[in-house]
Each structure stands twice: as C-alpha cells, then as structure tokens.
Amino acid sequence: MSSYYSSSEEEISNSLKNIQLFFMAFLIILFSILTLTCLFACVHTLIKEKKWKISKIIICLTPWCPLLRTVDMSIHINQNYLVGNLNDQNVGEIALGGLPGYIFFSTYFLLVIFWAVLFYRAHDSNQKIKRNMLIFYSLLNIIIYFIWGSLIISMIIFNSDIDLIHHIEATYASLLNIVACIGCAIYGTLIYYKLKMQPIISGPSLSLSKRIGILTIICTICFFIRSILILCDLFIFKSPVINLISKIIFQLFCEALPIFLILFVLYFDPLTKKNKDKSKILNHKNRRMYNNKQNFVSV
C-alpha cells in the first residue's frame, strides 16, 4: 500500500502544497506553545500540590495530546499530512496519528469522572465514590487501549485486510467520541446547575459555574464533531481541499481549543488557586454550603 503522506505528486497542486505547508507550520507552532503551557501547568501543579487529586491528574495528562500531535505533524511536515486520503495510511501512520486522539479521549473521560464525583459527593461525602470512580476509569481505559492495540496488531498481521480493520478502528474511535460527548453533556450540565443553585454571592463561584457551562457546551459539540469528522475523513472526503479544511477544523477546534479550555478551568481558575473570598458568606447555612463547594475543587 502506498504511504498516506506520499500520495502521487500529480494529485496535489503546488499552490495547495504551499497552503498546506503554511497551516502545518502554524499548527506545529500552536501545538508547541500549547504543549509548553500545559507542561508549565503540570510542573507547577506537581510542585505546589502535594496531594494527588483528580484535577491534578487531569492537568498532568493535558501535555501529552498536544505533544504527540506536534511530533506527528513535525515528522510529516513536508508530506501530505493535511491533504492526503486516510484510506492510504500505513500501520505506522494510523498508530502515530491515532494515539493523540485516544489520549485526548482519556483526558476528557477523566474530566467526566471528575464531574461525576463532584456531583455524587455533593449528595454523599463517602470517599468510596471517588475510589470506585477511579477504579472504573482505570479498568475502562485498559479495555479501550487493549482493543485499540489489538486492532493495530491485527493490521500488521493481516496486512491484506488493513483497509477493513482501519474502517473498524475508525468506527470504534468515533463511538468513543460519542460516549464522551454524552458524558460531557450529562455531568457537565449537572455540575453547572449544582453550582448555580448554591446560594453563595461570590464572584469566583459564579465565574467557575460559567466556565464549566462554557466548557460543557464546547466539549459536547467538539466530541460530536470529532466523531463525524473521523468517519467522514475515512468514508466520504476524497478531495485534497476538503481534507485540508476538515483536518484544520479537527486540529484547531476539536483538540487545541478543548485542551486550552480544560487547562483554563482547572488551572487558571481562581478557585483552584485557593483565592476564595469567605467574607461574602451570609450565615452558618451558607457557610456549610460554601464548604461543600470548596470540596468540589479538592477532589
């Protein structure tokens, strides 16, 4: 099979190659900056936060997707990375190009677990909820990566059927994104309304609920678009121009933007830095509910 990034030169005009090179350079720079930002947040969190919390684990996961995507694009900067047809990928290109997406899913799936723990902890302070959720997250990730790894190995063993297995792998990835879409929508909405119902007159508190609301909307849409684009890139899109537009949208709005948003909410939010204004708590009942809200960011 011919290489995905080594398609025939006749199919792609020089002008389109120049446009692709421009966007490749732009995306590599963007993802490099995002990687450095995530790494800074990760190192700072590791130094400042001694206790391991779900939010800390999420922050430590954020650099890996942009880092791997930067490596993937850098390796293929002079090839048809953005305009090539996915059906012409070889096994190495499928694995290297798919890994950032699976890590992206793992990061956001942990965010869904984080939101689920916050919601159930608001009704029950039992510490087993957090432990059980993390066990469930770990086991599910093992299953997800085992299935993906098995599909990649199958492509190597049954090379003559690589197209069929690739289609199965793409459908599998698309279904995972649909699951993440539903999870973000459900638990993001529950946490948003839970925070809005807290009778605390606090700027940071209102800011947190708004950011979670924005993150929920964008990430739900993002995962839905990811699932559609994954299938369309493989089964429908054939034109180099359409491929270019699809992949730019995918990289910018379905990977870079959500990673920045999750970092913004969990790392840069005033509540996560413990800049809480307790002077605006009205009475003992509100103090108790305020402390419940502070437990949200201590999970």
Side-chain angles (χ1 to χ4, degrees):
M1 175 177 291
S2 61
S3 174
Y4 163 53
Y5 304 119
S6 303
S7 300
S8 60
E9 297 294 321
E10 294 78 17
E11 294 180 358
I12 301 169
S13 66
N14 289 330
S15 60
L16 189 58
K17 288 181 182 179
N18 292 333
I19 294 173
Q20 178 194 232
L21 185 61
F22 169 79
F23 279 108
M24 283 286 287
F26 169 75
L27 289 172
I28 289 173
I29 293 172
L30 176 65
F31 274 88
S32 297
I33 294 173
L34 185 59
T35 301
L36 291 175
T37 304
C38 292
L39 283 173
F40 173 81
C42 177
V43 173
H44 182 262
T45 303
L46 288 173
I47 294 174
K48 294 295 183 181
E49 298 284 347
K50 302 302 181 184
K51 183 179 178 181
W52 281 94
K53 302 176 291 186
I54 297 180
S55 56
K56 181 178 179 179
I57 298 173
I58 295 174
I59 292 173
C60 291
L61 283 175
T62 55
W64 296 104
C65 175
L67 175 61
L68 290 171
R69 187 63 70 192
T70 302
V71 171
D72 184 31
M73 290 189 292
S74 299
I75 292 174
H76 306 107
I77 188 169
N78 291 319
Q79 300 176 20
N80 300 327
Y81 185 89
L82 297 178
V83 299
N85 194 305
L86 290 182
N87 285 295
D88 294 329
Q89 284 181 310
N90 60 39
V91 178
E93 291 158 352
I94 293 172
L96 184 58
L99 184 57
Y102 282 90
I103 292 181
F104 180 88
F105 169 83
S106 294
T107 303
Y108 266 89
F109 185 63
L110 184 57
L111 177 66
V112 172
I113 294 295
F114 178 56
W115 282 345
V117 171
L118 295 183
F119 179 74
Y120 292 121
R121 282 279 294 274
H123 301 279
D124 185 358
S125 60
N126 192 339
Q127 292 292 331
K128 290 184 178 180
I129 294 175
K130 177 181 175 182
R131 184 194 66 185
N132 293 339
M133 284 288 191
L134 287 175
I135 292 174
F136 171 73
Y137 169 79
S138 301
L139 291 176
L140 193 58
N141 267 278
I142 291 172
I143 295 172
I144 288 171
Y145 284 96
F146 175 78
I147 294 174
W148 180 63
S150 299
L151 290 171
I152 296 297
I153 294 173
S154 298
M155 293 180 197
I156 298 173
I157 298 175
F158 306 103
N159 192 259
S160 59
D161 297 320
I162 186 172
D163 288 340
L164 174 62
I165 301 173
H166 189 191
H167 291 173
I168 295 173
E169 188 272 335
T171 305
Y172 171 66
S174 180
L175 289 175
L176 289 179
N177 280 278
I178 288 293
V179 171
C181 171
I182 296 172
C184 283
I186 293 175
Y187 285 105
T189 302
L190 289 174
I191 290 301
Y192 172 76
Y193 281 108
K194 188 65 183 177
L195 288 173
K196 292 285 285 186
M197 289 171 61
Q198 298 285 350
I200 308 298
I201 305 173
S202 172
S205 300
L206 293 174
S207 175
L208 178 60
S209 63
K210 289 178 181 178
R211 292 177 188 179
I212 287 180
I214 293 172
L215 182 63
T216 299
I217 293 172
I218 292 179
C219 292
T220 300
I221 296 173
C222 156
F223 276 106
F224 179 75
I225 294 176
R226 281 176 66 93
S227 65
I228 298 299
L229 287 180
I230 289 172
L231 295 178
C232 287
D233 283 342
L234 193 63
F235 295 104
I236 299 175
F237 298 156
K238 304 299 180 182
S239 167
V241 176
I242 300 299
N243 289 336
L244 177 66
I245 296 172
S246 170
K247 290 182 178 63
I248 290 173
I249 292 174
F250 188 91
Q251 307 291 359
L252 284 178
F253 300 106
C254 297
E255 279 194 356
L257 179 61
I259 291 171
F260 173 77
L261 284 175
I262 194 174
L263 195 66
F264 183 69
V265 170
L266 293 182
Y267 178 72
F268 293 108
D269 191 277
L271 283 178
T272 61
K273 293 183 177 182
K274 298 183 173 26
N275 293 330
K276 295 124 184 177
D277 184 5
K278 296 187 179 182
S279 64
K280 297 181 181 179
I281 302 177
L282 301 179
N283 50 44
H284 178 71
K285 179 182 177 181
N286 283 354
R287 178 181 294 276
R288 184 182 60 188
M289 299 192 75
Y290 178 85
N291 288 333
N292 286 339
K293 181 176 286 189
Q294 305 316 309
N295 288 334
F296 282 1
V297 294
S298 66
V299 176

